[in-house]
Amino acid sequence: MRVIYLDHGATAFPRAPGVANAMVRFLDEASGNPGRGGHRLAVAAARAIEAAREEVAALLGGDPERTLFGPGATFWLNTVLASHLWHGTRVVVSALEHNAVMRPLRWLEACRGVDIAVVPGSGPSGVPTAVEVAACVAEAPTTLVMLSHASNVTGAVLPVAAVAAVVAPVPVVVDAAQTAGSLCIDFSSLGAAALVCSGHKGLLGPPGIGTLLLSPEFEVQPLVRGGTGSRSESEEMPEFLPDRLEAGTSNGVGAAGLGAACSWLRKRKVEVIHEHEQRLVRRLAEGLGEIPSVTLQGWEDAAPHTGILSFTADGVDNGELAAWLDRTRDICLRAGLHCAPAAHRRLGTFPNGTLRAGIGPFNTDADVDSLITAIRDAADGRM
Ligand SMILES: Cc1ncc(COP(=O)(O)O)c(C=O)c1O
């Protein structure tokens, strides 16, 4: 039986058409070590990676020369934060940040004394307005503003372009793990200093690869240093990109898959995917909203949204309900804190968390209706 996959906040399933083929092709035909030799397989690997870089940059409005590949969003967030936050610096964040941001920040707070200022946001979703972020930035000299583009718990979209405009010249770093591929992003006009994306969520690529886009003015020091195949006479990292930030053998197979995914997304068009996910998530909100014992968490009808929706059902354990959905209804979604305890504290859903449905480009009305029916049955005691 077909699985009803509603966990796109965690990772995509299925991946974009063409991803698996591109990865197999890379392994079979282009699997030399890029930049480490002049023979045909090394050149083919380097070409495949550069072609993938072009695809990713074209989709997200980045400069291919400042579009970097690494193991994932977590790696790039750590890199940017550790590079810019030293003793005596201050960072401003929203109350909705993922642990991929908060854990490196708490570590930097403990070992470098970095000052972390959290903007709570005045509405029920915890999304701060640009004015609220600017007011927090104005309270003390600030090195960086670090914002999720959308909450991975509620799907609420943060006004990152408006923030970048009002806090300039303070650099704004955007964690687009939840939006890249499902919300149109033009990095060149966003006003952000850097944009970090996972390859395996809305971008529909494989796990194990993520990307960092840098604006022309914003530099980052490497978190990891090592061989690049270039300037091998030196024991210092090369100054030029991408080599400065891409030490070690590149994940060419991941890049090939991600490039194929971005090529498919460009043809399919992100605005069409966004429209589709919007319609389905609103259908879900409407259906679940009619069940008296269900509470939509952090949901605001008119607010900009991704395909994610969090909810709880009175008297039902989130984990048990998720397991029951999987076992009896073939519905896959996630229960718990979704690696974002700060967001749950802000929403009032800590420590039990929520059930999170994450809608993707291949979901249908029938998928959403199956979830609504199942939750209604569970709420009526048929679990
Ligand atoms: C908002 C947000 N940021 C960062 C990450 C980390 O992404 P990755 O696990 O791909 O490194 C996630 C993953 O769930 C996320 O939702």
Side-chain angles (χ1 to χ4, degrees), residues 342-379:
H344 287 279
R345 286 201 166 90
R346 173 60 182 80
L347 294 165
T349 47
F350 189 88
N352 292 332
T354 57
L355 277 155
R356 181 184 72 176
I359 289 164
F362 307 113
N363 285 124
T364 61
D365 287 26
D367 292 345
V368 165
D369 294 348
S370 298
L371 178 59
I372 296 167
T373 304
I375 299 300
R376 190 175 292 119
D377 288 349

PDB file of all heavy atoms in Angstrom, residues 342-379:
ATOM      1  N   ALA A 342      13.034  25.758  21.888  1.00  0.00           N
ATOM      2  CA  ALA A 342      12.766  27.192  22.107  1.00  0.00           C
ATOM      3  C   ALA A 342      11.401  27.563  21.529  1.00  0.00           C
ATOM      4  O   ALA A 342      10.611  28.285  22.156  1.00  0.00           O
ATOM      5  CB  ALA A 342      13.869  28.036  21.459  1.00  0.00           C
ATOM      6  N   ALA A 343      11.114  27.056  20.353  1.00  0.00           N
ATOM      7  CA  ALA A 343       9.834  27.383  19.703  1.00  0.00           C
ATOM      8  C   ALA A 343       8.672  26.836  20.537  1.00  0.00           C
ATOM      9  O   ALA A 343       7.647  27.517  20.706  1.00  0.00           O
ATOM     10  CB  ALA A 343       9.810  26.793  18.302  1.00  0.00           C
ATOM     11  N   HIS A 344       8.843  25.634  21.077  1.00  0.00           N
ATOM     12  CA  HIS A 344       7.753  25.054  21.873  1.00  0.00           C
ATOM     13  C   HIS A 344       7.558  25.822  23.183  1.00  0.00           C
ATOM     14  O   HIS A 344       6.428  26.005  23.642  1.00  0.00           O
ATOM     15  CB  HIS A 344       8.016  23.574  22.140  1.00  0.00           C
ATOM     16  CG  HIS A 344       7.808  22.740  20.914  1.00  0.00           C
ATOM     17  ND1 HIS A 344       6.572  22.332  20.499  1.00  0.00           N
ATOM     18  CD2 HIS A 344       8.686  22.304  19.979  1.00  0.00           C
ATOM     19  CE1 HIS A 344       6.694  21.642  19.381  1.00  0.00           C
ATOM     20  NE2 HIS A 344       7.970  21.615  19.042  1.00  0.00           N
ATOM     21  N   ARG A 345       8.667  26.286  23.754  1.00  0.00           N
ATOM     22  CA  ARG A 345       8.520  27.092  24.980  1.00  0.00           C
ATOM     23  C   ARG A 345       7.717  28.347  24.645  1.00  0.00           C
ATOM     24  O   ARG A 345       6.842  28.767  25.394  1.00  0.00           O
ATOM     25  CB  ARG A 345       9.895  27.468  25.535  1.00  0.00           C
ATOM     26  CG  ARG A 345      10.587  26.297  26.195  1.00  0.00           C
ATOM     27  CD  ARG A 345      11.674  26.775  27.177  1.00  0.00           C
ATOM     28  NE  ARG A 345      12.084  25.672  28.023  1.00  0.00           N
ATOM     29  CZ  ARG A 345      13.076  24.817  27.733  1.00  0.00           C
ATOM     30  NH1 ARG A 345      13.770  24.971  26.635  1.00  0.00           N
ATOM     31  NH2 ARG A 345      13.367  23.837  28.543  1.00  0.00           N
ATOM     32  N   ARG A 346       8.033  28.940  23.500  1.00  0.00           N
ATOM     33  CA  ARG A 346       7.338  30.174  23.104  1.00  0.00           C
ATOM     34  C   ARG A 346       5.854  29.914  22.826  1.00  0.00           C
ATOM     35  O   ARG A 346       4.981  30.718  23.146  1.00  0.00           O
ATOM     36  CB  ARG A 346       8.043  30.759  21.849  1.00  0.00           C
ATOM     37  CG  ARG A 346       7.353  31.941  21.200  1.00  0.00           C
ATOM     38  CD  ARG A 346       7.226  33.126  22.144  1.00  0.00           C
ATOM     39  NE  ARG A 346       6.514  34.229  21.523  1.00  0.00           N
ATOM     40  CZ  ARG A 346       5.189  34.297  21.422  1.00  0.00           C
ATOM     41  NH1 ARG A 346       4.447  33.327  21.900  1.00  0.00           N
ATOM     42  NH2 ARG A 346       4.611  35.343  20.849  1.00  0.00           N
ATOM     43  N   LEU A 347       5.572  28.743  22.208  1.00  0.00           N
ATOM     44  CA  LEU A 347       4.188  28.429  21.826  1.00  0.00           C
ATOM     45  C   LEU A 347       3.383  27.854  22.980  1.00  0.00           C
ATOM     46  O   LEU A 347       2.156  27.734  22.893  1.00  0.00           O
ATOM     47  CB  LEU A 347       4.181  27.421  20.666  1.00  0.00           C
ATOM     48  CG  LEU A 347       4.749  27.912  19.330  1.00  0.00           C
ATOM     49  CD1 LEU A 347       5.024  26.738  18.398  1.00  0.00           C
ATOM     50  CD2 LEU A 347       3.798  28.911  18.678  1.00  0.00           C
ATOM     51  N   GLY A 348       4.078  27.440  24.060  1.00  0.00           N
ATOM     52  CA  GLY A 348       3.383  26.822  25.193  1.00  0.00           C
ATOM     53  C   GLY A 348       3.162  25.328  24.985  1.00  0.00           C
ATOM     54  O   GLY A 348       2.307  24.734  25.646  1.00  0.00           O
ATOM     55  N   THR A 349       3.901  24.705  24.091  1.00  0.00           N
ATOM     56  CA  THR A 349       3.732  23.269  23.832  1.00  0.00           C
ATOM     57  C   THR A 349       4.914  22.449  24.349  1.00  0.00           C
ATOM     58  O   THR A 349       5.053  21.284  24.000  1.00  0.00           O
ATOM     59  CB  THR A 349       3.532  23.011  22.323  1.00  0.00           C
ATOM     60  OG1 THR A 349       4.534  23.745  21.599  1.00  0.00           O
ATOM     61  CG2 THR A 349       2.155  23.441  21.863  1.00  0.00           C
ATOM     62  N   PHE A 350       5.763  23.066  25.166  1.00  0.00           N
ATOM     63  CA  PHE A 350       6.876  22.353  25.794  1.00  0.00           C
ATOM     64  C   PHE A 350       6.369  21.707  27.088  1.00  0.00           C
ATOM     65  O   PHE A 350       5.616  22.349  27.813  1.00  0.00           O
ATOM     66  CB  PHE A 350       8.014  23.345  26.114  1.00  0.00           C
ATOM     67  CG  PHE A 350       9.278  22.692  26.564  1.00  0.00           C
ATOM     68  CD1 PHE A 350      10.216  22.287  25.648  1.00  0.00           C
ATOM     69  CD2 PHE A 350       9.512  22.463  27.923  1.00  0.00           C
ATOM     70  CE1 PHE A 350      11.384  21.662  26.064  1.00  0.00           C
ATOM     71  CE2 PHE A 350      10.673  21.841  28.339  1.00  0.00           C
ATOM     72  CZ  PHE A 350      11.614  21.450  27.400  1.00  0.00           C
ATOM     73  N   PRO A 351       6.714  20.487  27.451  1.00  0.00           N
ATOM     74  CA  PRO A 351       7.682  19.592  26.822  1.00  0.00           C
ATOM     75  C   PRO A 351       7.053  18.533  25.911  1.00  0.00           C
ATOM     76  O   PRO A 351       7.780  17.733  25.345  1.00  0.00           O
ATOM     77  CB  PRO A 351       8.341  18.912  28.025  1.00  0.00           C
ATOM     78  CG  PRO A 351       7.210  18.781  29.014  1.00  0.00           C
ATOM     79  CD  PRO A 351       6.325  20.003  28.802  1.00  0.00           C
ATOM     80  N   ASN A 352       5.720  18.519  25.816  1.00  0.00           N
ATOM     81  CA  ASN A 352       5.100  17.410  25.060  1.00  0.00           C
ATOM     82  C   ASN A 352       5.207  17.592  23.551  1.00  0.00           C
ATOM     83  O   ASN A 352       5.123  16.628  22.802  1.00  0.00           O
ATOM     84  CB  ASN A 352       3.627  17.255  25.458  1.00  0.00           C
ATOM     85  CG  ASN A 352       3.500  16.767  26.889  1.00  0.00           C
ATOM     86  OD1 ASN A 352       4.400  16.070  27.383  1.00  0.00           O
ATOM     87  ND2 ASN A 352       2.435  17.152  27.568  1.00  0.00           N
ATOM     88  N   GLY A 353       5.340  18.845  23.114  1.00  0.00           N
ATOM     89  CA  GLY A 353       5.478  19.086  21.681  1.00  0.00           C
ATOM     90  C   GLY A 353       4.160  18.973  20.939  1.00  0.00           C
ATOM     91  O   GLY A 353       3.072  19.149  21.527  1.00  0.00           O
ATOM     92  N   THR A 354       4.252  18.652  19.694  1.00  0.00           N
ATOM     93  CA  THR A 354       3.071  18.646  18.818  1.00  0.00           C
ATOM     94  C   THR A 354       3.165  17.471  17.850  1.00  0.00           C
ATOM     95  O   THR A 354       4.190  16.816  17.747  1.00  0.00           O
ATOM     96  CB  THR A 354       3.035  19.932  17.953  1.00  0.00           C
ATOM     97  OG1 THR A 354       4.264  20.003  17.202  1.00  0.00           O
ATOM     98  CG2 THR A 354       2.861  21.182  18.784  1.00  0.00           C
ATOM     99  N   LEU A 355       2.067  17.283  17.127  1.00  0.00           N
ATOM    100  CA  LEU A 355       2.113  16.454  15.923  1.00  0.00           C
ATOM    101  C   LEU A 355       2.331  17.429  14.776  1.00  0.00           C
ATOM    102  O   LEU A 355       1.660  18.464  14.701  1.00  0.00           O
ATOM    103  CB  LEU A 355       0.780  15.742  15.721  1.00  0.00           C
ATOM    104  CG  LEU A 355       0.626  14.468  16.529  1.00  0.00           C
ATOM    105  CD1 LEU A 355      -0.832  14.190  16.768  1.00  0.00           C
ATOM    106  CD2 LEU A 355       1.273  13.308  15.773  1.00  0.00           C
ATOM    107  N   ARG A 356       3.251  17.083  13.912  1.00  0.00           N
ATOM    108  CA  ARG A 356       3.561  18.017  12.823  1.00  0.00           C
ATOM    109  C   ARG A 356       3.316  17.341  11.477  1.00  0.00           C
ATOM    110  O   ARG A 356       3.916  16.319  11.170  1.00  0.00           O
ATOM    111  CB  ARG A 356       5.015  18.455  12.924  1.00  0.00           C
ATOM    112  CG  ARG A 356       5.417  19.434  11.850  1.00  0.00           C
ATOM    113  CD  ARG A 356       6.891  19.762  11.931  1.00  0.00           C
ATOM    114  NE  ARG A 356       7.722  18.651  11.500  1.00  0.00           N
ATOM    115  CZ  ARG A 356       9.058  18.696  11.398  1.00  0.00           C
ATOM    116  NH1 ARG A 356       9.694  19.804  11.744  1.00  0.00           N
ATOM    117  NH2 ARG A 356       9.758  17.647  10.992  1.00  0.00           N
ATOM    118  N   ALA A 357       2.426  17.954  10.705  1.00  0.00           N
ATOM    119  CA  ALA A 357       2.222  17.488   9.325  1.00  0.00           C
ATOM    120  C   ALA A 357       3.033  18.396   8.418  1.00  0.00           C
ATOM    121  O   ALA A 357       2.996  19.615   8.549  1.00  0.00           O
ATOM    122  CB  ALA A 357       0.745  17.564   8.956  1.00  0.00           C
ATOM    123  N   GLY A 358       3.780  17.802   7.514  1.00  0.00           N
ATOM    124  CA  GLY A 358       4.581  18.591   6.568  1.00  0.00           C
ATOM    125  C   GLY A 358       4.209  18.178   5.153  1.00  0.00           C
ATOM    126  O   GLY A 358       4.469  17.052   4.733  1.00  0.00           O
ATOM    127  N   ILE A 359       3.559  19.092   4.458  1.00  0.00           N
ATOM    128  CA  ILE A 359       3.042  18.785   3.117  1.00  0.00           C
ATOM    129  C   ILE A 359       4.105  19.098   2.071  1.00  0.00           C
ATOM    130  O   ILE A 359       4.803  20.116   2.166  1.00  0.00           O
ATOM    131  CB  ILE A 359       1.753  19.605   2.881  1.00  0.00           C
ATOM    132  CG1 ILE A 359       0.649  19.015   3.765  1.00  0.00           C
ATOM    133  CG2 ILE A 359       1.348  19.605   1.411  1.00  0.00           C
ATOM    134  CD1 ILE A 359      -0.527  19.899   3.938  1.00  0.00           C
ATOM    135  N   GLY A 360       4.216  18.233   1.086  1.00  0.00           N
ATOM    136  CA  GLY A 360       5.202  18.422   0.027  1.00  0.00           C
ATOM    137  C   GLY A 360       4.551  18.482  -1.339  1.00  0.00           C
ATOM    138  O   GLY A 360       3.322  18.359  -1.475  1.00  0.00           O
ATOM    139  N   PRO A 361       5.367  18.647  -2.366  1.00  0.00           N
ATOM    140  CA  PRO A 361       4.833  18.875  -3.718  1.00  0.00           C
ATOM    141  C   PRO A 361       4.037  17.710  -4.289  1.00  0.00           C
ATOM    142  O   PRO A 361       3.223  17.904  -5.180  1.00  0.00           O
ATOM    143  CB  PRO A 361       6.078  19.119  -4.571  1.00  0.00           C
ATOM    144  CG  PRO A 361       7.243  18.746  -3.751  1.00  0.00           C
ATOM    145  CD  PRO A 361       6.823  18.716  -2.324  1.00  0.00           C
ATOM    146  N   PHE A 362       4.259  16.489  -3.765  1.00  0.00           N
ATOM    147  CA  PHE A 362       3.578  15.337  -4.367  1.00  0.00           C
ATOM    148  C   PHE A 362       2.354  14.908  -3.551  1.00  0.00           C
ATOM    149  O   PHE A 362       1.705  13.920  -3.890  1.00  0.00           O
ATOM    150  CB  PHE A 362       4.566  14.168  -4.508  1.00  0.00           C
ATOM    151  CG  PHE A 362       5.823  14.573  -5.230  1.00  0.00           C
ATOM    152  CD1 PHE A 362       7.055  14.618  -4.572  1.00  0.00           C
ATOM    153  CD2 PHE A 362       5.786  14.952  -6.565  1.00  0.00           C
ATOM    154  CE1 PHE A 362       8.204  15.020  -5.225  1.00  0.00           C
ATOM    155  CE2 PHE A 362       6.931  15.351  -7.230  1.00  0.00           C
ATOM    156  CZ  PHE A 362       8.149  15.381  -6.563  1.00  0.00           C
ATOM    157  N   ASN A 363       2.038  15.614  -2.479  1.00  0.00           N
ATOM    158  CA  ASN A 363       0.837  15.278  -1.712  1.00  0.00           C
ATOM    159  C   ASN A 363      -0.419  15.733  -2.457  1.00  0.00           C
ATOM    160  O   ASN A 363      -0.373  16.622  -3.297  1.00  0.00           O
ATOM    161  CB  ASN A 363       0.885  15.925  -0.317  1.00  0.00           C
ATOM    162  CG  ASN A 363       1.854  15.210   0.605  1.00  0.00           C
ATOM    163  OD1 ASN A 363       2.774  15.805   1.160  1.00  0.00           O
ATOM    164  ND2 ASN A 363       1.672  13.914   0.765  1.00  0.00           N
ATOM    165  N   THR A 364      -1.524  15.077  -2.092  1.00  0.00           N
ATOM    166  CA  THR A 364      -2.795  15.340  -2.778  1.00  0.00           C
ATOM    167  C   THR A 364      -3.877  15.709  -1.761  1.00  0.00           C
ATOM    168  O   THR A 364      -3.696  15.521  -0.547  1.00  0.00           O
ATOM    169  CB  THR A 364      -3.257  14.057  -3.495  1.00  0.00           C
ATOM    170  OG1 THR A 364      -3.442  13.048  -2.485  1.00  0.00           O
ATOM    171  CG2 THR A 364      -2.236  13.575  -4.521  1.00  0.00           C
ATOM    172  N   ASP A 365      -5.019  16.145  -2.288  1.00  0.00           N
ATOM    173  CA  ASP A 365      -6.186  16.409  -1.432  1.00  0.00           C
ATOM    174  C   ASP A 365      -6.536  15.155  -0.633  1.00  0.00           C
ATOM    175  O   ASP A 365      -6.861  15.225   0.553  1.00  0.00           O
ATOM    176  CB  ASP A 365      -7.396  16.785  -2.296  1.00  0.00           C
ATOM    177  CG  ASP A 365      -7.269  18.173  -2.893  1.00  0.00           C
ATOM    178  OD1 ASP A 365      -6.121  18.642  -3.072  1.00  0.00           O
ATOM    179  OD2 ASP A 365      -8.305  18.792  -3.202  1.00  0.00           O
ATOM    180  N   ALA A 366      -6.434  14.004  -1.308  1.00  0.00           N
ATOM    181  CA  ALA A 366      -6.810  12.736  -0.643  1.00  0.00           C
ATOM    182  C   ALA A 366      -5.888  12.454   0.545  1.00  0.00           C
ATOM    183  O   ALA A 366      -6.345  11.946   1.581  1.00  0.00           O
ATOM    184  CB  ALA A 366      -6.749  11.591  -1.656  1.00  0.00           C
ATOM    185  N   ASP A 367      -4.601  12.785   0.439  1.00  0.00           N
ATOM    186  CA  ASP A 367      -3.669  12.583   1.562  1.00  0.00           C
ATOM    187  C   ASP A 367      -4.128  13.403   2.770  1.00  0.00           C
ATOM    188  O   ASP A 367      -4.161  12.917   3.906  1.00  0.00           O
ATOM    189  CB  ASP A 367      -2.252  13.044   1.186  1.00  0.00           C
ATOM    190  CG  ASP A 367      -1.614  12.169   0.117  1.00  0.00           C
ATOM    191  OD1 ASP A 367      -2.121  11.064  -0.127  1.00  0.00           O
ATOM    192  OD2 ASP A 367      -0.604  12.612  -0.472  1.00  0.00           O
ATOM    193  N   VAL A 368      -4.447  14.648   2.488  1.00  0.00           N
ATOM    194  CA  VAL A 368      -4.858  15.560   3.567  1.00  0.00           C
ATOM    195  C   VAL A 368      -6.164  15.069   4.194  1.00  0.00           C
ATOM    196  O   VAL A 368      -6.310  15.026   5.421  1.00  0.00           O
ATOM    197  CB  VAL A 368      -5.007  16.993   2.986  1.00  0.00           C
ATOM    198  CG1 VAL A 368      -5.760  17.898   3.937  1.00  0.00           C
ATOM    199  CG2 VAL A 368      -3.633  17.563   2.657  1.00  0.00           C
ATOM    200  N   ASP A 369      -7.095  14.656   3.336  1.00  0.00           N
ATOM    201  CA  ASP A 369      -8.390  14.201   3.848  1.00  0.00           C
ATOM    202  C   ASP A 369      -8.236  12.927   4.681  1.00  0.00           C
ATOM    203  O   ASP A 369      -8.938  12.741   5.674  1.00  0.00           O
ATOM    204  CB  ASP A 369      -9.375  13.987   2.686  1.00  0.00           C
ATOM    205  CG  ASP A 369      -9.701  15.313   1.996  1.00  0.00           C
ATOM    206  OD1 ASP A 369      -9.345  16.378   2.562  1.00  0.00           O
ATOM    207  OD2 ASP A 369     -10.292  15.302   0.902  1.00  0.00           O
ATOM    208  N   SER A 370      -7.280  12.070   4.278  1.00  0.00           N
ATOM    209  CA  SER A 370      -7.043  10.846   5.068  1.00  0.00           C
ATOM    210  C   SER A 370      -6.565  11.214   6.467  1.00  0.00           C
ATOM    211  O   SER A 370      -6.961  10.586   7.456  1.00  0.00           O
ATOM    212  CB  SER A 370      -5.972   9.966   4.420  1.00  0.00           C
ATOM    213  OG  SER A 370      -6.393   9.550   3.167  1.00  0.00           O
ATOM    214  N   LEU A 371      -5.697  12.210   6.560  1.00  0.00           N
ATOM    215  CA  LEU A 371      -5.205  12.616   7.876  1.00  0.00           C
ATOM    216  C   LEU A 371      -6.341  13.211   8.710  1.00  0.00           C
ATOM    217  O   LEU A 371      -6.491  12.886   9.898  1.00  0.00           O
ATOM    218  CB  LEU A 371      -4.048  13.623   7.737  1.00  0.00           C
ATOM    219  CG  LEU A 371      -3.496  14.140   9.060  1.00  0.00           C
ATOM    220  CD1 LEU A 371      -2.967  13.001   9.939  1.00  0.00           C
ATOM    221  CD2 LEU A 371      -2.379  15.165   8.827  1.00  0.00           C
ATOM    222  N   ILE A 372      -7.154  14.045   8.091  1.00  0.00           N
ATOM    223  CA  ILE A 372      -8.264  14.663   8.835  1.00  0.00           C
ATOM    224  C   ILE A 372      -9.203  13.568   9.364  1.00  0.00           C
ATOM    225  O   ILE A 372      -9.581  13.571  10.542  1.00  0.00           O
ATOM    226  CB  ILE A 372      -9.040  15.664   7.938  1.00  0.00           C
ATOM    227  CG1 ILE A 372      -8.125  16.828   7.521  1.00  0.00           C
ATOM    228  CG2 ILE A 372     -10.290  16.181   8.660  1.00  0.00           C
ATOM    229  CD1 ILE A 372      -8.680  17.699   6.400  1.00  0.00           C
ATOM    230  N   THR A 373      -9.548  12.598   8.510  1.00  0.00           N
ATOM    231  CA  THR A 373     -10.440  11.502   8.929  1.00  0.00           C
ATOM    232  C   THR A 373      -9.818  10.712  10.077  1.00  0.00           C
ATOM    233  O   THR A 373     -10.485  10.387  11.067  1.00  0.00           O
ATOM    234  CB  THR A 373     -10.693  10.547   7.729  1.00  0.00           C
ATOM    235  OG1 THR A 373     -11.211  11.324   6.667  1.00  0.00           O
ATOM    236  CG2 THR A 373     -11.658   9.438   8.079  1.00  0.00           C
ATOM    237  N   ALA A 374      -8.522  10.420   9.942  1.00  0.00           N
ATOM    238  CA  ALA A 374      -7.850   9.632  10.983  1.00  0.00           C
ATOM    239  C   ALA A 374      -7.840  10.387  12.311  1.00  0.00           C
ATOM    240  O   ALA A 374      -8.087   9.797  13.371  1.00  0.00           O
ATOM    241  CB  ALA A 374      -6.428   9.312  10.539  1.00  0.00           C
ATOM    242  N   ILE A 375      -7.566  11.663  12.271  1.00  0.00           N
ATOM    243  CA  ILE A 375      -7.521  12.441  13.524  1.00  0.00           C
ATOM    244  C   ILE A 375      -8.920  12.540  14.123  1.00  0.00           C
ATOM    245  O   ILE A 375      -9.101  12.451  15.346  1.00  0.00           O
ATOM    246  CB  ILE A 375      -6.903  13.844  13.289  1.00  0.00           C
ATOM    247  CG1 ILE A 375      -5.462  13.734  12.777  1.00  0.00           C
ATOM    248  CG2 ILE A 375      -6.953  14.696  14.560  1.00  0.00           C
ATOM    249  CD1 ILE A 375      -4.505  13.017  13.715  1.00  0.00           C
ATOM    250  N   ARG A 376      -9.924  12.668  13.252  1.00  0.00           N
ATOM    251  CA  ARG A 376     -11.300  12.708  13.772  1.00  0.00           C
ATOM    252  C   ARG A 376     -11.620  11.374  14.463  1.00  0.00           C
ATOM    253  O   ARG A 376     -12.184  11.353  15.554  1.00  0.00           O
ATOM    254  CB  ARG A 376     -12.289  13.002  12.629  1.00  0.00           C
ATOM    255  CG  ARG A 376     -13.695  13.297  13.167  1.00  0.00           C
ATOM    256  CD  ARG A 376     -14.693  13.714  12.102  1.00  0.00           C
ATOM    257  NE  ARG A 376     -14.403  15.008  11.515  1.00  0.00           N
ATOM    258  CZ  ARG A 376     -14.133  15.220  10.233  1.00  0.00           C
ATOM    259  NH1 ARG A 376     -14.092  14.209   9.386  1.00  0.00           N
ATOM    260  NH2 ARG A 376     -13.899  16.432   9.782  1.00  0.00           N
ATOM    261  N   ASP A 377     -11.216  10.274  13.846  1.00  0.00           N
ATOM    262  CA  ASP A 377     -11.466   8.953  14.448  1.00  0.00           C
ATOM    263  C   ASP A 377     -10.758   8.830  15.799  1.00  0.00           C
ATOM    264  O   ASP A 377     -11.328   8.340  16.773  1.00  0.00           O
ATOM    265  CB  ASP A 377     -10.971   7.840  13.507  1.00  0.00           C
ATOM    266  CG  ASP A 377     -11.872   7.689  12.288  1.00  0.00           C
ATOM    267  OD1 ASP A 377     -12.962   8.293  12.289  1.00  0.00           O
ATOM    268  OD2 ASP A 377     -11.469   6.985  11.344  1.00  0.00           O
ATOM    269  N   ALA A 378      -9.502   9.279  15.828  1.00  0.00           N
ATOM    270  CA  ALA A 378      -8.744   9.196  17.081  1.00  0.00           C
ATOM    271  C   ALA A 378      -9.402  10.055  18.156  1.00  0.00           C
ATOM    272  O   ALA A 378      -9.532   9.635  19.317  1.00  0.00           O
ATOM    273  CB  ALA A 378      -7.301   9.628  16.844  1.00  0.00           C
ATOM    274  N   ALA A 379      -9.838  11.249  17.759  1.00  0.00           N
ATOM    275  CA  ALA A 379     -10.468  12.154  18.724  1.00  0.00           C
ATOM    276  C   ALA A 379     -11.795  11.586  19.230  1.00  0.00           C
ATOM    277  O   ALA A 379     -12.184  11.821  20.369  1.00  0.00           O
ATOM    278  CB  ALA A 379     -10.691  13.517  18.069  1.00  0.00           C
TER     279      ALA A 379
END
